[in-house]
Amino acid sequence: MINVKPADMILRDLAPRQGYQRLVEAKDHATGLHALVSIHSLHRGPAAGGCRMFDYATFDDAVQDVQRLSLGMTYKNAAADLPLGGGKSVIIGDPKRHKTPELMRAFGRLIDHLGGSYYTAEDVGISPQDMAYVAQTTPYVAGLEGGEFASGDPSPVTARGVFLCLKQTLLHALGSDDLNNKTVAIQGLGHVGMHLATLLHGAGADLIVSDINSEATQHAAQKLGALVVLPQEIFHQDADVFAPCAMGGILSTDVIAGLKARFVVGAANNQLAHETCGQGLHDAGVLYAPDYIVNGGGIINVAMEILKISDPAYRENRVNGLAKTLDQVFTAATKAGEPPHIVADRLIKQRLA
Ligand code: NAD
């Protein structure tokens, strides 16, 4: 282990997985910071991806998670046609107990040390206020609430991207994207799910919703006429579309077996519980819109802050582009008789070549 700038912080380069650019570990004894930054790809530009704070059971869990997430960001950024590579960072610790302004400033010094090869933003366990502390020690940060190019909450933009992709899915499969007489089952009415529900309701769709937070479901029932079901029942509803907007890994073999919807289009990251579940959806006759294309609206919003772009046309063009990319994937998948997630991965690899 070597002592390098920033002073007092111990930094070391670890051996990343094959094909990854860099993996850095940082320890700062004064603040208790223990963090990892994984840069998967710099091919399209500086790496961008959020910072997650989580109390990992083992150091290796954190190493695996940060690398997996950084790969996902390369794909998501390329799918959104952004001039950004893929990266991610994790802070090891319980955000409720271990997070302090000093710790976040120390994290900012780590990011600054990487000299702009990686831009950070919020992820699970990290708030805009935390990023404001990070911004006191580095300019390589986005997701801020104040400042000339501050992008604020990305959720409405993510929801709009999901909405457009959902319509594109119907158009591809049914020849019409009319949402009247269509039912969408939404799992999770958080930042993205509630915006999505509002857009769908406005376009004439019927809604079935579930959330573990009854305030959110009550709101959807009262304001949007949504039918509320128990969380474990959302998969089995007679809906045209299932929109996962809660957590990842929910498309398991069991869930697919009970799914009545013919289309899956939602915001959640890493929806497939296993690689084989994409094939499982395909075999079950369900058209799956790959998550990292559908939910790219958030990173488009963040990218504008990183790239210092204020023209709303940039956002609109890129978000519309998500639906175009999805259509490209569906068209190629239908032609080849392959599952869309396989075709999407191939398309992104071509964009990265
Ligand atoms: P959020 O935390 O605001 O909302 C998640 C919602 O899901 C909450 O209301 C929560 O109560 C609910 N939930 C949790 N477990 C549930 C369960 N078992 N059944 C039903 N509901 C449950 O998160 P968000 O920002 O809305 O993001 C939703 C998903 O989309 C996440 O997977 C996130 O990683 C992904 N995503 C979000 C953005 C963004 O811009 N916010 C961008 C890309 C991807």
Side-chain angles (χ1 to χ4, degrees), residues 115-149:
S117 55
Y118 166 68
Y119 280 76
T120 195
E122 297 93 343
D123 196 88
V124 177
I126 298 290
S127 68
Q129 176 59 59
D130 298 327
M131 281 299 132
Y133 295 129
V134 173
Q136 290 172 358
T137 50
T138 183
Y140 308 121
V141 52
L144 299 172
E145 283 178 331
E148 193 185 349
F149 296 98

Side-chain angles (χ1 to χ4, degrees), residues 25 33 45 63 78 89 95 119 140 190 206 210 229 254 280 289 293 301 303 313 322 326 338:
E25 179 190 11
L33 176 77
V63 167
S89 51
Y119 280 76
Y140 308 121
D206 294 322
S210 77
V229 298
D254 284 353
I293 299 176
N301 208 52
L322 298 175
L326 185 63
E338 285 183 305

Side-chain angles (χ1 to χ4, degrees), residues 170-257:
L170 297 180
L171 186 63
H172 173 83
L174 308 175
S176 163
D177 64 359
D178 186 1
L179 283 158
N180 288 293
N181 299 318
K182 291 284 175 294
T183 303
V184 182
I186 306 178
Q187 181 191 40
L189 291 169
H191 289 90
V192 180
M194 194 64 89
H195 281 295
L196 177 65
T198 306
L199 290 172
L200 289 167
H201 174 71
D206 294 322
L207 302 176
I208 305 176
V209 299
S210 77
D211 198 297
I212 50 175
N213 170 5
S214 59
E215 247 176 68
T217 52
Q218 267 170 30
H219 178 88
Q222 282 162 13
K223 302 280 179 200
L224 310 173
L227 171 69
V228 178
V229 298
L230 292 170
Q232 63 273 24
E233 289 175 356
I234 192 72
F235 313 107
H236 313 302
Q237 299 303 312
D238 257 324
D240 299 284
V241 184
F242 174 51
C245 297
M247 61 279 178
I250 56 115
L251 295 171
S252 64
T253 308
D254 284 353
V255 163
I256 293 166

